[in-house]
Amino acid sequence: MEFDVVIVGGGPAGLSAAIRLRQLAIQHGEELTVCVLEKGSEVGAHIMSGAVIEPRALNELIPDWQAKGAPLNTPAGEDRFLFLTETRAYKLPTPPQMHNHGNYIVSLGNVCRWLAEQAAELEVDIYPGFAAAEVLYHEDGSVKGVATGDMGRTHDGEEGPNFAPGMELHARQTLFGEGCRGSLTKTLFQRFNLRDGVDPQVFGIGIKELWEIQPSLHRRGSITHTTGWPMDMKTYGGSWTYHLEDNLVSIGFVVGLDYQNPYLSPFEEMQRFKSHPEIRKQFEGARRLSYGARAISAGGFQSIPKLTFPGGLLMGDCAGFLNVPKIKGTHTAMKSGMTAAEAVFDALKGGQPHGQEVKSYAERLSKTWMWDELHRVRNIKPSFHWGLPAAMAYSAIDTYLFRGKAPWTLRHRPDHLQLKPAAECQPINYPKPDGVLTFDRLSSVFLSNTNHEEDQPCHLTLRDANVPVAVNLARYAGPEQRYCPAGVYEFVQEGSESRLQINAQNCVHCKTCDIKDPSQNINWVTPEGGGGPNYPNM
Amino acid sequence: MSTLVLAEHNNAALVPATLNAVAAGLAIGAEVDVLVAGEGCRAVAEAAAAIAGVRKVLLVEAAHYAHALPENLAPLMVQVAGPYEHLLAAATTTGKNVMPRVAALLDVAQISEITSVVSSDTFVRPIYAGNVMATVKSSDAKKVITVRLTAYDPAPASGGSAAIEAVAAAADAGLSLWVAEELTKSDRPELTAADIIVSGGRGVGSSENFAIIEALADKLGAAVGASRAAVDAGYVPNDYQVGQTGKVVAPTLYIAVGISGAIQHLAGMKDSKVIVCINKDEEAPIFGVADYGLVGDLFKEVPAMTAALDK
Amino acid sequence: MKILVAVKRAIDYNVKARPKSDGSAVDLANVKMSMNPFDEIAVEEAIRIQEAGGATETIAVSVGPKQCQETLRTAMAMGVDRGILVETDVETQPLAVAKLLAAVIKQEQPGLVILGKQAIDDDSNQTGQMLAALLGWPQGTFAAKVTIDGERLKVAREIDGGIQTVDLRMPAVVTADLRLNEPRYVKLPNIMKAKKKPLDTLTPEGLGIDITPRLTVVKVAEPPARKGGVKVPDVEALIDKLRNEAKVI
């Protein structure tokens, strides 16, 4: 199938790019076909975010979004930043990046559903349920498009009775907006050496729950962030609690994936965090509605790769445009998508051929507000290598004294090299879940509506099948069974032997395993389209 | 007003599900009559007359009622429906086949698979595969209802002495013919249709070890199921898995062996009438839903149970 | 011969339904909706019959709000020739749907109508049977196999404990059970083609059908949580309980 532009991923970046492309085409009377592939069963199914969003990019993309019914229903209100000890909470001054006046608390999934409606009205072809599984290349090495994954292969990889081979989608330009740690993006990094000369990307894992709380305890618009407990001083992490409409509360915890202790479990840290007296009091008589997890890019400015290559480009969080101190990436993802669209439209206008490298995208991006914004905060996250107190002191100096213009840039180290051998670390005893406020993994995954067609090849591939037991279990006490927030990885004792059991059906597509596996032995590839979580209102 | 229950039978004997439907009929509070339509089925009518609490049995005999074909049974029910406010059948494949047709001919709604009677016009029924219970109120003069079997204990099969009243047959609609019926033979019943299910989990440990699960199932005439963990571990094929699409089960007896009770599994079988678990881990969540729990080594207890059932 | 298939837009089978906290209804806000899985099987069967030369045209009909167009497009992407939406925002119960379908069928005159045996939202399992009654047609419910033989239709039906085969005079109504077939995957180019297939919209008023609901939902609630029972000391005690207390073996 032939299109002018194929966009991989129906998130804020991809949809904004699609909308902007069609707006420009209509405005200039150009024929321009745009197709969006989304691996989730529908747009929004795989979207999980806090989220407080800055409407800046949306104002530029669809100025009359309010009239068009965009689901930005809860203006940000009272803002609190707390430092937690095990039993106490101390109010800290809110750093300027974390001020939210003029922002909105939203379900990003619902915002994407709405963006998809806007795109469809502009005649963008959106295909949810189809995963882009492979990048296709022309003979000259430029990107030709993508191929969707095969459907109906059995567990052994054989063609099942309903086998439907993947389809090739060709385009003059292919735009990748896969989100953090995109599986195709990873191959593009290698093929085009896009990461040469930049810092490694670093990541966090965000775990979120959506609750419906008692009206008397609900303060619509309230925003709370915490740092400190239950993280130790060496581990980067913190929480959010946002009160949305309809007595809903979004609560989540982010742990930096540069953590060192292999016994750490981000999932259980999140559960434990909720039990803090300051936090748990909101959840009296509440019920948990949904659960999800997703890795986020935290490297910021110094980790941004080269963005263009012949035939395509990167946008959104697969390029790492998240503003870490702000804990926001939606506005930057959208802005990058829009900027990409503008550059690509100009490059394709008047029937220009395929295979161009749209270098003007990076140039245009560097002149936007988003570039300036990311540049200013570049030193905050890496300063956390020095531990929390030093990092907070440094961040204050960097922010208030240098206003982000310090004449140096702090560097990042790759997350997967940070784990210490288990022998050098203390096991962590997490409290048992009470089934009321705190839960186990499986009852949590249940709420994410996750499923994968049972009979298909495992999409969590191992480069070397011996590594999990011989290295990960032996040296690091099997960290994958703890960092996976969905209970995908289990070490099963069979007689005297241990074996890694991969429950691929549970996978919520957070990509943490692909990032944190100490020997980078796990390669996350796309399962059959439509598989994965079905997040409502996340 | 009174209640008419459609008897399900094979012309020789009453299907026990009828007793559950009678029990639900009695729960409504009015007098309960039973309709027996078949061919040469007097013995069934007598069995129906013996059910405790039944007032009257209507017996209709004709060749075209021999196989409960809905095209013939539904008009017959409509013909005799006059004095009844409630028309009931068990939610078996026969009841589900016939009753909506009756309701449409009467121009009334049907209330499917009720699990309790709130009042004469209000009933509780499961929706969304049992994940939600809906209380619904009918505005129709006649209520056509099917009854979920596991929700009512059967009415006693004896103790009654109802009169048997012969009723004239309606004409053969001539729309359908019965060709054959193959009851599942020696092989095990289908998971979704089985009355008893024995399921194995990760604790069973291997494909070979599943033989002890199968042996117990065969002894009980049960289907064999499995948890997702056991399927994922490759012990049994995918279609054994309880809880996946279309495999929500609600048998009379569910025996979970070596299954810890992940919520996905519980969601697939929690509507079973009686749940038994055998597990060595006393803390396993499955004990939280099991009516009878046995803490022990499944490799010892399951063969012991199979052997003890012979006694 | 034309085949008509009825398709319902229902909650996606992967999504767990949950009552709203006020118990007024099930919370469907921003929940993924799909074609009812049993209706997908019905669509697949219709297409297979057509592909085997047994039908000249396949038509999908849906009843409900505007979004049901997506469900019809899915049916058309699978291979159905055209779609008809009877559009209404009123909650439609099985009797009303059967009446609407009967009205459409009088216009379209299909020789065979296939529906899913039940929808996974209300779990009614009624519409096909009601439709057959209203049309005065025979019904082959819970079909595991369908064979057309001239003017007759053989349907192997899933019944409790086995398979029953019936022989029906056509036209007839069939409802699909799980084992009838395994629906195909929708292919991308076919989704594009489906956008261009005809889709007509009718209304209950236009068809002259009163669709006022006959049942009112008083409340919805989570099912009562199961409580753990007793621990038994050994196998003998267990069997005794099952035989004499629970009376299940």
Side-chain angles (χ1 to χ4, degrees):
Chain A
M1 293 166 75
E2 305 284 334
F3 296 90
D4 292 310
V5 179
V6 165
I7 295 172
V8 179
L15 293 167
S16 299
I19 289 170
R20 183 57 107 211
L21 278 165
R22 288 293 307 153
Q23 284 173 340
L24 290 166
I26 292 164
Q27 193 186 328
H28 292 88
E30 286 263 336
E31 291 269 323
L32 189 85
T33 53
V34 180
C35 155
V36 176
L37 286 179
E38 166 55 42
K39 71 179 161 57
S41 65
E42 61 168 355
V43 170
H46 288 184
I47 299 287
M48 192 220 93
S49 185
V52 176
I53 65 168
E54 235 181 74
R56 191 167 185 176
L58 181 59
N59 289 336
E60 294 174 11
L61 182 67
I62 305 177
D64 57 343
W65 56 263
Q66 229 143 2
K68 288 190 162 139
L72 280 65
N73 303 320
T74 303
E78 168 205 9
D79 230 320
R80 292 192 304 163
F81 184 40
L82 306 176
F83 178 81
L84 302 185
T85 65
E86 190 163 356
T87 52
R88 305 286 299 272
Y90 301 94
K91 215 166 165 191
L92 299 178
T94 306
Q97 304 93 353
M98 284 168 74
H99 281 298
N100 279 304
H101 184 72
N103 296 340
Y104 292 83
I105 308 178
V106 300
S107 150
L108 189 60
N110 292 348
V111 171
C112 287
R113 287 181 179 93
W114 176 83
L115 283 172
E117 286 170 23
Q118 309 310 308
E121 276 180 26
L122 296 169
E123 295 181 344
V124 174
D125 284 317
I126 303 178
Y127 298 114
F130 291 92
E134 189 192 345
V135 183
L136 304 171
Y137 296 96
H138 287 290
E139 271 176 23
D140 66 3
S142 64
V143 171
K144 184 182 190 180
V146 289
T148 62
D150 292 343
M151 308 285 265
R153 279 199 190 277
T154 65
H155 187 76
D156 306 327
E158 305 289 318
E159 294 180 10
N162 264 347
F163 176 73
M167 289 289 307
E168 292 199 357
L169 285 84
H170 300 164
R172 288 196 283 157
Q173 281 288 320
T174 306
L175 280 48
F176 294 84
E178 291 186 289
C180 175
R181 195 70 168 195
S183 50
L184 298 185
T185 306
K186 220 167 89 166
T187 67
L188 293 165
F189 284 160
Q190 285 202 329
R191 172 130 188 165
F192 294 108
N193 301 316
L194 301 177
R195 300 210 67 91
D196 283 4
V198 301
D199 278 15
Q201 186 56 275
V202 296
F203 303 88
I205 174 174
I207 296 175
K208 170 177 169 177
E209 295 179 354
L210 187 68
W211 287 72
E212 184 181 18
I213 67 166
Q214 290 298 326
S216 60
L217 299 169
H218 191 262
R219 300 188 314 276
R220 186 172 178 179
S222 102
I223 293 172
T224 306
H225 293 106
T226 72
T227 183
W229 189 87
M231 294 291 93
D232 60 31
M233 290 297 172
K234 288 194 302 261
T235 311
Y236 185 81
S239 80
W240 77 79
T241 310
Y242 305 149
H243 288 222
L244 299 94
E245 58 266 29
D246 301 330
N247 299 318
L248 297 177
V249 170
S250 159
I251 182 164
F253 203 88
V254 177
V255 175
L257 286 178
D258 57 351
Y259 70 82
Q260 298 177 341
N261 184 345
Y263 291 108
L264 186 140
S265 160
F267 173 84
E268 270 134 334
E269 295 296 347
M270 160 76 179
Q271 299 307 315
R272 177 154 81 154
F273 153 72
K274 284 185 293 178
S275 68
H276 190 280
E278 182 62 24
I279 304 302
R280 79 177 310 149
K281 62 186 187 189
Q282 311 163 80
F283 294 101
E284 206 60 51
R287 65 171 178 165
R288 190 169 69 144
L289 304 181
S290 194
Y291 168 86
R294 185 71 174 95
I296 53 173
S297 304
F301 195 80
Q302 48 275 57
S303 299
I304 295 174
K306 181 166 182 281
L307 297 171
T308 57
F309 38 87
L313 54 79
L314 306 176
M315 19 176 225
D317 208 24
C318 69
F321 291 141
L322 185 107
N323 180 330
V324 181
K326 260 193 186 175
I327 6 178
K328 288 182 186 61
T330 304
H331 65 301
T332 50
M334 290 180 72
K335 184 65 180 173
S336 69
M338 290 153 62
T339 309
E342 288 154 13
V344 163
F345 181 79
D346 280 351
L348 294 183
K349 210 164 44 179
Q352 289 298 308
H354 62 74
Q356 299 177 72
E357 179 165 351
V358 187
K359 288 186 175 149
S360 74
Y361 165 47
E363 289 154 26
R364 288 173 195 236
L365 211 52
S366 67
K367 296 191 185 93
T368 62
W369 47 258
M370 117 178 202
W371 206 253
D372 179 54
E373 182 184 313
L374 292 176
H375 185 258
R376 278 170 191 266
V377 298
R378 72 193 183 287
N379 285 334
I380 311 266
K381 168 69 169 75
S383 74
F384 278 78
H385 277 302
W386 306 324
L388 182 65
M392 289 182 71
Y394 175 81
S395 298
I397 294 166
D398 196 285
T399 305
Y400 293 102
L401 204 61
F402 293 104
R403 304 203 172 272
K405 298 195 174 186
W408 57 79
T409 295
L410 302 179
R411 318 286 3 157
H412 291 301
R413 298 172 251 176
D415 291 334
H416 68 271
L417 298 178
Q418 304 306 311
L419 276 186
K420 289 186 174 163
E424 296 170 25
C425 298
Q426 279 294 323
I428 305 173
N429 276 322
Y430 290 108
K432 275 190 125 185
D434 63 12
V436 179
L437 179 70
T438 58
F439 301 91
D440 63 11
R441 277 182 175 76
L442 286 183
S443 56
S444 302
V445 178
F446 186 67
L447 292 180
S448 67
N449 300 320
T450 295
N451 195 32
H452 292 87
E453 170 63 39
E454 291 92 0
D455 197 11
Q456 64 171 304
C458 181
H459 72 279
L460 300 148
T461 62
L462 300 178
R463 293 199 167 86
D464 177 345
N466 297 315
V467 163
V469 172
V471 178
N472 293 5
L473 187 61
R475 190 167 161 82
Y476 300 105
E480 54 269 64
Q481 54 192 336
R482 297 187 198 89
Y483 62 60
C484 174
V488 170
Y489 298 96
E490 283 178 273
F491 284 92
V492 179
Q493 190 81 29
E494 277 171 2
S496 60
E497 303 276 291
S498 285
R499 147 184 98 74
L500 180 68
Q501 163 76 32
I502 303 180
N503 304 307
Q505 279 188 327
N506 286 4
C507 176
V508 295
H509 297 200
C510 78
K511 316 281 179 76
T512 303
C513 53
D514 194 282
I515 295 165
K516 188 64 176 171
D517 185 67
S519 45
Q520 295 288 281
N521 187 50
I522 299 173
N523 189 36
W524 192 102
V525 298
T526 49
E528 269 187 17
N534 282 283
Y535 294 137
N537 304 306
M538 285 288 269
Chain B
M1 295 295 270
S2 48
T3 300
L4 182 67
V5 173
L6 175 66
E8 192 174 335
H9 60 86
N10 63 0
N11 296 309
L14 200 59
V15 170
T18 308
L19 301 173
N20 304 62
V22 168
L26 293 168
I28 295 172
E31 301 275 12
V32 173
D33 293 352
V34 175
L35 172 65
V36 177
E39 183 185 27
C41 57
R42 178 121 208 133
V44 177
E46 281 160 9
I51 302 172
V54 171
R55 177 180 67 178
K56 186 167 73 176
V57 174
L58 307 181
L59 173 61
V60 190
E61 296 192 85
H64 57 274
Y65 297 129
H67 298 289
L69 292 171
E71 295 81 359
N72 291 328
L73 257 190
L76 174 69
M77 279 203 91
V78 172
Q79 183 186 303
V80 301
Y84 299 102
E85 184 179 343
H86 296 91
L87 302 170
L88 265 64
T92 57
T93 46
T94 303
K96 292 177 188 176
N97 195 25
V98 174
M99 297 307 271
R101 198 163 174 119
V102 173
L105 293 177
L106 290 169
D107 191 28
V108 301
Q110 188 202 250
I111 306 149
S112 298
E113 301 214 32
I114 64 162
T115 55
S116 82
V117 176
V118 178
S119 70
S120 69
D121 64 357
T122 305
F123 308 89
V124 178
R125 56 176 301 260
I127 55 176
Y128 292 90
N131 289 314
V132 178
M133 302 302 286
T135 305
V136 296
K137 183 179 161 79
S138 166
S139 59
D140 289 316
K142 286 193 193 305
K143 286 87 179 165
V144 177
I145 292 167
T146 61
V147 177
R148 177 165 282 210
L149 295 181
T150 47
Y152 287 91
D153 288 330
S158 59
S161 55
I164 300 176
E165 186 181 299
V167 175
D172 182 354
L175 293 171
S176 54
L177 296 168
W178 177 89
V179 179
E181 214 149 285
E182 275 177 71
L183 295 183
T184 315
K185 299 171 294 282
S186 56
D187 38 339
R188 298 186 194 102
E190 269 297 303
L191 202 50
T192 47
D195 209 32
I196 303 179
I197 295 173
V198 184
S199 261
R202 172 87 55 71
V204 178
S206 72
S207 191
E208 297 72 45
N209 291 349
F210 245 80
I212 64 170
I213 304 291
E214 288 162 359
L216 176 59
D218 289 345
K219 184 71 72 183
L220 290 164
V224 175
S227 70
R228 179 147 134 187
V231 172
D232 277 352
Y235 303 163
V236 286
N238 281 314
D239 55 349
Y240 280 48
Q241 185 180 318
V242 169
Q244 61 167 299
T245 332
K247 292 277 174 74
V248 172
V249 300
T252 312
L253 173 60
Y254 189 92
I255 303 179
V257 180
I259 291 178
S260 65
I263 189 150
Q264 289 86 344
H265 192 78
L266 299 183
M269 48 63 99
K270 67 177 164 29
D271 292 334
S272 307
K273 185 160 187 198
V274 174
I275 297 175
V276 169
C277 74
I278 300 174
N279 201 306
K280 65 171 187 250
D281 175 11
E282 203 170 339
E283 300 271 298
I286 191 85
F287 284 98
V289 299
D291 300 282
Y292 303 108
L294 177 58
V295 181
D297 179 3
L298 71 93
F299 299 106
K300 178 176 150 270
E301 305 296 352
V302 174
M305 184 168 176
T306 309
L309 280 166
D310 278 333
K311 290 179 205 160
Chain C
M1 180 187 74
K2 287 189 207 174
I3 302 178
L4 189 139
V5 199
V7 294
K8 182 174 186 180
R9 179 175 182 265
I11 192 168
D12 186 84
Y13 71 90
N14 288 312
V15 178
K16 278 83 198 172
R18 180 181 59 232
K20 288 184 185 171
S21 52
D22 65 1
S24 61
V26 171
D27 192 355
L28 295 178
N30 302 301
V31 158
K32 157 93 174 138
M33 304 291 274
S34 296
M35 186 188 297
N36 174 39
F38 290 105
D39 298 349
E40 248 183 278
I41 298 170
V43 169
E44 177 67 32
E45 194 64 17
I47 300 165
R48 287 190 189 182
I49 293 170
Q50 186 179 29
E51 284 170 349
T56 50
E57 191 186 25
T58 47
I59 308 160
V61 184
S62 190
V63 174
K66 193 163 187 237
Q67 293 91 316
C68 295
Q69 286 183 358
E70 290 165 29
T71 318
L72 289 168
R73 293 286 173 206
T74 304
M76 290 190 270
M78 287 175 74
V80 165
D81 297 315
R82 63 187 168 95
I84 299 172
L85 171 61
V86 183
E87 191 175 332
T88 174
D89 289 327
V90 176
E91 181 217 337
T92 44
Q93 294 177 350
L95 182 63
V97 174
K99 287 179 179 181
L100 293 169
L101 291 175
V104 173
I105 285 160
K106 281 186 186 126
Q107 293 177 3
E108 295 288 345
Q109 300 284 324
L112 177 62
V113 178
I114 313 180
L115 306 86
K117 73 163 180 178
Q118 74 188 70
I120 61 167
D121 49 10
D122 62 17
D123 286 331
S124 288
N125 194 334
Q126 301 173 7
T127 308
Q129 296 88 313
M130 289 182 153
L131 175 63
L134 297 174
L135 295 167
W137 291 4
Q139 66 191 46
T141 54
F142 325 144
K145 190 165 192 279
V146 174
T147 320
I148 300 174
D149 182 8
E151 296 296 298
R152 308 291 297 188
L153 184 73
K154 272 212 176 64
V155 181
R157 307 179 51 239
E158 306 257 6
I159 59 167
D160 295 328
I163 295 279
Q164 179 193 63
T165 305
V166 290
D167 176 357
L168 311 176
R169 193 182 84 187
M170 303 246 286
V173 172
V174 165
T175 74
D177 212 324
L178 213 55
R179 283 195 291 179
L180 182 58
N181 60 52
E182 194 182 325
R184 66 194 62 193
Y185 290 101
V186 174
K187 297 193 175 75
L188 265 181
N190 294 345
I191 297 178
M192 294 196 83
K193 279 183 212 147
K195 288 184 180 170
K196 300 196 175 72
K197 290 185 180 179
L199 196 166
D200 292 326
T201 301
L202 307 173
T203 62
E205 300 74 38
L207 291 167
I209 304 292
D210 175 14
I211 58 165
T212 312
R214 305 293 186 84
L215 300 176
T216 321
V217 175
V218 180
K219 69 163 183 177
V220 294
E222 307 241 4
R226 251 191 121 98
K227 290 199 182 71
V230 296
K231 293 230 169 79
V232 291
D234 53 35
V235 160
E236 282 69 33
L238 177 59
I239 291 174
D240 175 63
K241 292 274 190 194
L242 293 177
R243 281 199 175 127
N244 302 316
E245 189 175 270
K247 299 191 171 75
V248 287
I249 57 172

